[in-house]
Amino acid sequence: MKTIRKIMTGAGTALICAVMYYCFVCGAPRQGRGHLFYMVITGIFCVSVWTAVMGTIWYVKWLRRKNSEFENMIDTLLKNIDELDK
C-alpha cells in the first residue's frame, strides 16, 4: 500500500506539471527562436516544480519519522528513570 501511495503521489504531481507545461506552451510564440527558448525554459520550470513538491513531501515524512523516533526514545528514557528511582 505504501508503494502504491508513493507512485500515485509522484504520478499526480507529474500529471499536474505536464498540464502546467501544456498550458504554458499554448501561450508560446508560434515562430522563431523564442519558441524553442520558451519551451525549454517552461520544461525546466515544470521539472523544478515537480522536484520541489516531491522533495517537500519526502522531507515532511522524514521529519514525522524522526519525531516518532524521538518520542519513543523519550518514553524509554522516562521508563528507565522511573525504574532507577525505585
Side-chain angles (χ1 to χ4, degrees):
M1 192 64 163
K2 289 182 182 181
T3 305
I4 293 172
R5 243 175 151 179
K6 289 178 184 178
I7 291 171
M8 291 304 291
T9 303
T13 54
L15 180 65
I16 290 170
C17 289
V19 169
M20 194 168 49
Y21 180 78
Y22 176 75
C23 291
F24 287 159
V25 170
C26 284
R30 297 283 180 219
Q31 297 177 15
R33 292 182 58 193
H35 179 68
L36 180 63
F37 178 73
Y38 187 86
M39 289 177 60
V40 169
I41 294 299
T42 302
I44 291 170
F45 174 74
C46 291
V47 169
S48 65
V49 166
W50 181 80
T51 305
V53 168
M54 294 307 294
T56 302
I57 291 171
W58 173 83
Y59 184 66
V60 167
K61 288 181 180 181
W62 181 79
L63 285 176
R64 286 183 181 167
R65 274 195 319 262
K66 283 294 181 187
N67 190 21
S68 65
E69 287 177 14
F70 288 143
E71 286 176 356
N72 292 338
M73 287 172 47
I74 289 172
D75 290 341
T76 305
L77 287 172
L78 290 174
K79 189 170 28 173
N80 289 340
I81 289 172
D82 286 341
E83 290 176 4
L84 288 174
D85 285 341
K86 292 181 181 180

